[in-house]
Amino acid sequence: MSHSFVVHVPDAELEPEPLAPEQIVSGTPEVTGKVVWESADGKQIRGVWQITPGVVTDTEADELFVVISGSATVAVEGGPTLEVGPGDMAVLRAGDRTTWTVHETLRKAYAINL
């Protein structure tokens, strides 16, 4: 998109983004998302992401996100444990290895820098 825009995050329609089986620790979490903007060089991405309850692992990019709904505990290997819920803003650093324990379906708006 080349113009300014608005996205109503709570109602944004999302597409399936299947998890790699090795990321799933427990449960049957499902991920959906939508990229709403990407820079021409592909190094900046803005979007909406959602995950249903379960436990998953990930290696993070440089990301800032705001939780719209739901809740999770994000354990950063060698770092803090983050409790996130509606209205919380969090920052993850590139290379952080995380374990997400999703308590209630979590929806977030995010900005990633690659």
Side-chain angles (χ1 to χ4, degrees):
M1 290 185 173
S2 59
H3 299 284
S4 299
F5 63 94
V6 66
V7 174
H8 188 67
V9 177
D11 299 329
E13 289 191 32
L14 308 179
E15 299 292 327
E17 294 182 0
L19 289 162
E22 62 271 13
Q23 287 183 272
I24 300 172
V25 176
S26 68
T28 55
E30 295 181 7
V31 171
T32 53
K34 179 178 183 175
V35 171
V36 298
W37 180 84
E38 185 172 343
S39 63
D41 63 5
K43 293 185 177 184
Q44 296 180 47
I45 302 168
R46 310 295 183 250
V48 180
W49 185 85
Q50 181 170 287
I51 185 169
T52 62
V55 180
V56 299
T57 61
D58 200 8
T59 300
E60 304 297 337
D62 177 24
E63 177 180 0
L64 176 143
F65 67 87
V66 175
V67 177
I68 305 305
S69 60
S71 64
T73 302
V74 184
V76 179
E77 188 176 286
T81 297
L82 312 173
E83 299 291 339
V84 297
D88 289 334
M89 180 176 74
V91 175
L92 298 171
R93 296 175 306 172
D96 278 351
R97 295 177 51 88
T98 57
T99 300
W100 290 69
T101 301
V102 181
H103 311 293
E104 297 175 75
T105 297
L106 183 130
R107 182 175 282 223
K108 66 181 183 175
Y110 67 84
I112 291 176
N113 295 313
L114 303 173

